[in-house]
Amino acid sequence: MTNERYERGWEKLLEVDGDGGQRVMDSLSDIAPDLGKYIIEFTFGDIYSREGLDLRQRELITIASLTTQGGCEAQLNVHINAGLNVGLTAGEIVEAIIQCAPYTGFPRVLNAVFEAKRIFKERHFI
Amino acid sequence: MTNERYERGWEKLLEVDGDGGQRVMDSLSDIAPDLGKYIIEFTFGDIYSREGLDLRQRELITIASLTTQGGCEAQLNVHINAGLNVGLTAGEIVEAIIQCAPYTGFPRVLNAVFEAKRIFKERHFI
Amino acid sequence: MTNERYERGWEKLLEVDGDGGQRVMDSLSDIAPDLGKYIIEFTFGDIYSREGLDLRQRELITIASLTTQGGCEAQLNVHINAGLNVGLTAGEIVEAIIQCAPYTGFPRVLNAVFEAKRIFKERHFI
Amino acid sequence: MTNERYERGWEKLLEVDGDGGQRVMDSLSDIAPDLGKYIIEFTFGDIYSREGLDLRQRELITIASLTTQGGCEAQLNVHINAGLNVGLTAGEIVEAIIQCAPYTGFPRVLNAVFEAKRIFKERHFI
Amino acid sequence: MTNERYERGWEKLLEVDGDGGQRVMDSLSDIAPDLGKYIIEFTFGDIYSREGLDLRQRELITIASLTTQGGCEAQLNVHINAGLNVGLTAGEIVEAIIQCAPYTGFPRVLNAVFEAKRIFKERHFI
Amino acid sequence: MTNERYERGWEKLLEVDGDGGQRVMDSLSDIAPDLGKYIIEFTFGDIYSREGLDLRQRELITIASLTTQGGCEAQLNVHINAGLNVGLTAGEIVEAIIQCAPYTGFPRVLNAVFEAKRIFKERHFI
C-alpha cells in the first residue's frame, strides 16, 4: 500500500540517491521490505523533504554523520554519490570528510576518503 | 612559542567559537596546555582555515559529527554557539541535528537538541 | 495535524513509556516539535506497533541497544521504566543489561545498571 | 587445564553457537588461545548459563547489542545462526534488528539485515 | 561463594583500583552483585593477573580504551586513579590521553583530560 | 611546501609505520594530499615526537585506541606492524588487545586479534 509520504519519499530518494537508493530498496525486498518502506517514508518522505536546509547542505551533514558513525562504508557510498547528484563537487565532499578529522579522528576520516576515492575513480574524476 | 599556524588558529578560534573556545583553552592551561595548542593549530589554524567550504557549512558538519560521535555535549555547546556566531540560525542548527536522526538514531539526536535548547534559552531565543 | 500513525503512536507511547514519554514530548515542544512527532509516528506508530515480537521482547531489545549505544542514560531511564510498564521484572531488566557485557564491555553495562538502580530506588524496589 | 566453568561454557557454546562458535575457537588457537578460553568461560560458562532469561531472549539481546555496536558482522553471523539454533524464527531475528532502528539509525540496521540475508540464503530460507 | 579467581581478582582490584574499585563493588551489591563478581573474577582475576605486560602498561592501555570508548567518565575516574596507584605519573597519564587524539578526535580526549584534571585537583597535584 | 614539523613527522612516520605509512600517504596523493600532510605533521610531527612516553608505549596506546574505536582494521594493520617495528613483541601486542576486552567487549577484541593474526602469518611468526 502506497501513501503520500511513501510517494513523496520515493520521488526524493530517486532525486537524491538515484540508482544507489533503488539498489538498496531492491536488496531489501526479500528480507525486510518494511525496512525499505520506513527508509523511504521517514528518511526521504519526512526528513529530506523538510524545508530549512537545501539538499546540498543535507548531504554534507549526512556524509559527516556517516563518516563519524563508522563502519558505514556502504551507506557512505550511496551518500557520496548522492552528494554529487545534488550538486556538491568532489572537492566539497572531500572537504566535508576532512572537517570531521578533529572530532572523530583520522581512521574514520581515512575510511570515508578511501570510499570517496573508489567512487571518484568509477566516475573517472581521478 | 607562537607561530603562524597558532596565530591564524587563535584568530579563527575567536571568530568561530568566541568565548566558549577561549574558556576551553583556559581550562587546559594547568593540565595539558599542549593539547590546547594542538586544537588551536590543527583544528583552527589548519582545518577551519581551509578554503572549499564556508564557516557556516563547516559548523553544520561539526555539529553533525559531534551529534553522531555521542557523549560530546560540552563540545556541542561550544559548536552550537559557534554556529550562531558564524551566521547559522537557530532553526538551521536544529535542522542539522534532526537530519542526523536516520543515521545515528533518536537518542543522540535528542541529546544534541536538548543541548541546543539550553543554549537557546540562555540566549533568550526561546 | 494528527493522522492515523500519530494517533496509533501516541497511544502506544502512553502504553509503553507512560509519563516518561510524555515528558520527552513536552520538552521538545518549544525547540523541535517535529522531532517529537517523528518519534511518536516512527518509533511508536510504526516500529512498536509491529507484530512478530511482543512489547516485553521489544523493551529487552531497546534496553540492550541503548546500553550498547552509550551516552544514552536519559533514554535508558525512559525505557527501563517502559520495561517495567509492559511487564518485565526488575530482575529481567538487570539480566538483559548484564547479557550485553561480553559484547560491549563493562563500562557501558555499569552505566546502564546504575541508571536501573536510580529507577528501582525511586520506585522503592530496593 | 579445563574446569567446571570451561566445561559448562563449552557445552553451552555448542548448544548456542554450534559450528560457528567452534570455528571461532579454532581460529584463535594459534594466536590467542586464552582469549578463546575467556569467551567460553565468561560468555558461555558465566553469562549464558545464568537463569532469569531463556536462550531465545538472550540471543535477541545479543543480536541487538551487536547490531548497535557496529562493525561486528562476523559476530552477528555467529549469533544470527545461534538465534536460529535456539529456536528464534528468521522473522523474529529480522524483527529484533528492525527494533534497533530508532535507537542506532538505519546504517547499522542495514548492515545487520544484510548479514541476516546472507545467512538465510545459505540456509535456503529465502 | 568465593574461589581462587575471585580471591586473586579481589587482591588485584585492591592493588590496582584501591578505594575506587571497592566503591564500585559496594554500589553493585544491592542491584547486581553478580556483575561485581564478574568484574573481580574476569577483569582482575583473569586479565590483570596475566603476565606479558606490567600493571603500568595495562593501565595505559585501559585509559586509552576508556578514553576512546567515550561516555565512560566514571570508569576513567577509577582507572586514572589506578594508574597513579600502580606508579604512572600524572604526566604519563595525560600523555596517554593525548596520544589518542589522532585516533578518536579531540572531544573524547578533552573529556578524559578534564576527568584527569578533577582527580589531580582532588589529589592536590595541580 | 615542506616545513620542520613535516620533516620531523615524515622521519618519524618512516621510523614507526615504515612501508605501511608510506603506502597510506601514496594512496591519499590523488584524492586528499592535505589529509596525508596533516597526518604526517600532527600525528607524527607533533604527537609521536613528544617526550614522556616511548614509542613502544605509544604503540600499545594506539593499538588499544584503534581496537576500541572499531571498524579501523586498515589502521590496526599499520599500527600492529608499527608496534613490531618499534620493538614490541607479537605477544605484547596480543596482550594489549586482550587487555581491552573488559572495556570494549569481545567482538572488537576479536576483530583486532584476527588482524594481528593476518600480519603474524605474513611475517611467518605463526
Side-chain angles (χ1 to χ4, degrees):
Chain A
M1 191 200 76
T2 63
N3 57 47
E4 192 204 347
R5 285 170 71 240
Y6 185 88
E7 282 166 23
R8 185 175 63 231
W10 183 254
E11 212 173 312
K12 191 64 79 176
L13 173 82
L14 291 183
E15 178 187 357
V16 174
D17 284 358
D19 287 354
Q22 186 142 18
R23 270 195 300 275
V24 174
M25 293 309 119
D26 289 349
S27 65
L28 287 170
S29 64
D30 58 354
I31 175 89
D34 290 355
L35 181 60
K37 185 170 158 288
Y38 297 140
I39 292 174
I40 289 167
E41 289 177 351
F42 176 56
T43 305
F44 293 95
D46 287 343
I47 302 293
Y48 271 89
S49 297
R50 290 173 64 82
E51 303 193 347
L53 293 174
D54 64 31
L55 289 176
R56 288 194 309 281
Q57 291 173 306
R58 290 193 185 277
E59 283 303 332
L60 288 176
I61 289 163
T62 296
I63 289 167
S65 183
L66 290 170
T67 296
T68 305
Q69 183 84 337
C72 301
E73 281 69 25
Q75 292 81 26
L76 267 172
N77 187 299
V78 172
H79 283 282
I80 291 169
N81 276 301
L84 296 168
N85 294 344
V86 300
L88 291 172
T89 65
E92 287 170 327
I93 288 169
V94 171
E95 202 62 40
I97 297 171
I98 291 176
Q99 174 69 23
C100 297
Y103 304 106
T104 197
F106 289 118
R108 293 194 169 166
V109 162
L110 285 168
N111 288 346
V113 161
F114 290 133
E115 193 62 39
K117 184 171 170 173
R118 272 187 287 277
I119 294 165
F120 297 167
K121 278 199 163 166
E122 278 169 26
R123 292 193 169 210
H124 305 292
F125 290 0
I126 54 175
Chain B
M1 193 200 75
T2 63
N3 57 47
E4 194 204 346
R5 285 171 70 240
Y6 185 90
E7 282 166 23
R8 184 175 62 232
W10 183 254
E11 213 172 312
K12 191 64 78 177
L13 173 82
L14 291 183
E15 179 187 355
V16 174
D17 285 357
D19 287 356
Q22 185 141 22
R23 270 196 299 275
V24 173
M25 294 307 120
D26 289 350
S27 65
L28 287 170
S29 64
D30 58 354
I31 175 88
D34 289 357
L35 180 60
K37 186 170 158 288
Y38 297 140
I39 293 173
I40 289 167
E41 290 177 351
F42 176 57
T43 306
F44 293 95
D46 287 343
I47 303 294
Y48 271 89
S49 298
R50 291 173 63 81
E51 303 193 348
L53 293 173
D54 65 30
L55 289 176
R56 288 194 309 282
Q57 291 172 305
R58 290 192 185 279
E59 283 304 331
L60 288 176
I61 290 163
T62 297
I63 289 167
S65 183
L66 290 170
T67 296
T68 305
Q69 182 85 336
C72 300
E73 281 70 24
Q75 291 81 27
L76 267 173
N77 187 298
V78 172
H79 283 283
I80 291 169
N81 276 300
L84 296 168
N85 293 345
V86 301
L88 291 173
T89 65
E92 287 170 327
I93 288 169
V94 170
E95 202 61 40
I97 297 170
I98 291 176
Q99 174 69 23
C100 296
Y103 305 106
T104 196
F106 288 119
R108 292 195 169 167
V109 162
L110 285 167
N111 288 346
V113 161
F114 290 133
E115 193 61 40
K117 183 171 171 173
R118 273 187 286 278
I119 293 165
F120 297 167
K121 277 200 163 166
E122 278 170 27
R123 290 191 170 212
H124 306 292
F125 291 180
I126 55 174
Chain C
M1 193 200 74
T2 64
N3 57 48
E4 194 205 346
R5 286 170 70 239
Y6 185 89
E7 281 165 23
R8 184 175 63 232
W10 184 254
E11 213 172 311
K12 190 64 77 178
L13 173 83
L14 290 183
E15 179 186 356
V16 174
D17 284 357
D19 288 354
Q22 186 142 19
R23 269 195 301 274
V24 174
M25 294 307 120
D26 289 349
S27 65
L28 286 170
S29 64
D30 57 355
I31 175 90
D34 289 356
L35 181 60
K37 184 169 159 289
Y38 297 140
I39 294 174
I40 290 167
E41 290 176 351
F42 176 57
T43 306
F44 292 95
D46 287 342
I47 302 293
Y48 272 89
S49 298
R50 291 173 62 81
E51 304 193 346
L53 293 173
D54 65 31
L55 288 177
R56 288 195 308 283
Q57 290 172 307
R58 290 191 187 279
E59 283 304 329
L60 288 176
I61 289 163
T62 297
I63 289 167
S65 183
L66 291 170
T67 295
T68 305
Q69 182 85 336
C72 301
E73 282 69 26
Q75 292 81 25
L76 267 172
N77 187 299
V78 171
H79 283 282
I80 291 168
N81 276 300
L84 296 168
N85 293 344
V86 300
L88 292 173
T89 65
E92 287 170 327
I93 289 169
V94 171
E95 202 62 40
I97 297 171
I98 291 176
Q99 174 70 23
C100 297
Y103 305 106
T104 196
F106 289 118
R108 292 194 169 167
V109 163
L110 285 167
N111 288 346
V113 161
F114 290 134
E115 193 61 39
K117 183 171 170 173
R118 273 187 286 277
I119 293 165
F120 297 167
K121 278 200 162 166
E122 278 169 27
R123 291 189 169 213
H124 305 292
F125 292 179
I126 54 175
Chain D
M1 193 200 74
T2 62
N3 57 47
E4 192 205 346
R5 284 170 71 240
Y6 185 89
E7 282 165 22
R8 186 174 62 232
W10 184 253
E11 213 173 311
K12 190 65 77 177
L13 173 81
L14 291 184
E15 178 187 356
V16 174
D17 284 356
D19 287 355
Q22 186 142 17
R23 269 195 300 274
V24 174
M25 294 307 121
D26 289 349
S27 65
L28 287 170
S29 64
D30 57 355
I31 176 89
D34 290 357
L35 181 59
K37 185 169 157 288
Y38 297 142
I39 293 173
I40 290 166
E41 290 177 351
F42 176 57
T43 305
F44 293 94
D46 287 343
I47 302 295
Y48 271 89
S49 298
R50 292 173 62 82
E51 303 192 347
L53 293 173
D54 64 31
L55 288 176
R56 288 196 308 281
Q57 290 172 307
R58 289 191 187 278
E59 283 304 331
L60 288 176
I61 290 163
T62 296
I63 289 167
S65 183
L66 290 170
T67 295
T68 305
Q69 183 84 336
C72 299
E73 280 70 24
Q75 292 81 27
L76 267 172
N77 186 299
V78 172
H79 284 283
I80 291 169
N81 276 300
L84 296 168
N85 293 344
V86 301
L88 291 173
T89 66
E92 287 169 328
I93 287 169
V94 171
E95 201 62 40
I97 296 171
I98 290 176
Q99 175 70 24
C100 297
Y103 304 106
T104 196
F106 289 119
R108 292 193 170 167
V109 162
L110 285 168
N111 288 346
V113 161
F114 290 133
E115 193 61 40
K117 183 171 170 173
R118 271 186 288 277
I119 294 165
F120 296 167
K121 277 200 162 167
E122 278 169 27
R123 291 191 169 213
H124 306 293
F125 292 179
I126 54 175
Chain E
M1 194 200 75
T2 63
N3 56 46
E4 194 204 344
R5 286 170 70 241
Y6 186 88
E7 281 165 23
R8 185 175 62 232
W10 184 254
E11 213 173 310
K12 191 64 78 178
L13 173 82
L14 291 183
E15 178 187 356
V16 174
D17 284 357
D19 288 354
Q22 186 142 20
R23 270 196 299 274
V24 174
M25 294 307 121
D26 289 349
S27 65
L28 287 171
S29 64
D30 57 356
I31 175 90
D34 289 356
L35 180 60
K37 185 169 158 288
Y38 297 141
I39 293 174
I40 290 167
E41 290 177 352
F42 176 56
T43 306
F44 293 95
D46 287 344
I47 303 293
Y48 272 89
S49 298
R50 291 174 62 82
E51 302 193 348
L53 293 173
D54 64 31
L55 289 176
R56 289 195 308 282
Q57 290 172 307
R58 290 191 186 278
E59 283 303 331
L60 288 176
I61 289 163
T62 297
I63 290 167
S65 183
L66 290 170
T67 295
T68 305
Q69 182 85 336
C72 300
E73 282 69 26
Q75 292 81 25
L76 267 172
N77 187 299
V78 171
H79 283 282
I80 291 169
N81 276 300
L84 296 168
N85 293 345
V86 300
L88 291 173
T89 66
E92 287 170 326
I93 288 168
V94 170
E95 201 63 39
I97 297 170
I98 290 175
Q99 175 69 24
C100 296
Y103 305 106
T104 196
F106 289 119
R108 292 194 170 167
V109 162
L110 285 168
N111 288 346
V113 161
F114 290 134
E115 193 62 39
K117 183 170 171 174
R118 273 187 286 278
I119 293 166
F120 297 167
K121 277 200 163 167
E122 277 168 28
R123 291 192 168 210
H124 306 293
F125 290 0
I126 54 174
Chain F
M1 190 201 75
T2 63
N3 57 46
E4 192 204 346
R5 285 170 72 240
Y6 185 89
E7 282 165 23
R8 185 175 62 233
W10 184 254
E11 213 173 311
K12 191 64 78 177
L13 173 82
L14 291 183
E15 179 186 356
V16 174
D17 284 357
D19 288 354
Q22 187 142 19
R23 270 195 301 273
V24 174
M25 293 308 119
D26 289 349
S27 64
L28 287 170
S29 64
D30 57 356
I31 176 89
D34 289 356
L35 181 59
K37 185 170 159 287
Y38 297 141
I39 293 174
I40 290 166
E41 290 176 351
F42 176 56
T43 305
F44 293 95
D46 287 344
I47 302 293
Y48 272 89
S49 298
R50 291 173 63 81
E51 304 193 346
L53 293 173
D54 64 31
L55 288 176
R56 288 195 309 283
Q57 291 172 306
R58 290 191 186 278
E59 284 303 331
L60 288 176
I61 289 163
T62 296
I63 289 166
S65 184
L66 290 170
T67 296
T68 305
Q69 182 84 336
C72 300
E73 281 69 25
Q75 292 81 26
L76 267 172
N77 187 298
V78 172
H79 283 282
I80 291 169
N81 276 301
L84 296 168
N85 293 344
V86 301
L88 291 173
T89 65
E92 286 170 328
I93 288 168
V94 171
E95 202 61 41
I97 297 170
I98 291 176
Q99 175 68 24
C100 296
Y103 304 106
T104 196
F106 289 119
R108 293 194 170 167
V109 163
L110 285 168
N111 288 346
V113 161
F114 290 134
E115 193 61 40
K117 183 171 170 172
R118 273 187 286 277
I119 293 166
F120 297 167
K121 277 199 162 166
E122 278 169 26
R123 292 190 169 213
H124 306 293
F125 290 1
I126 54 175

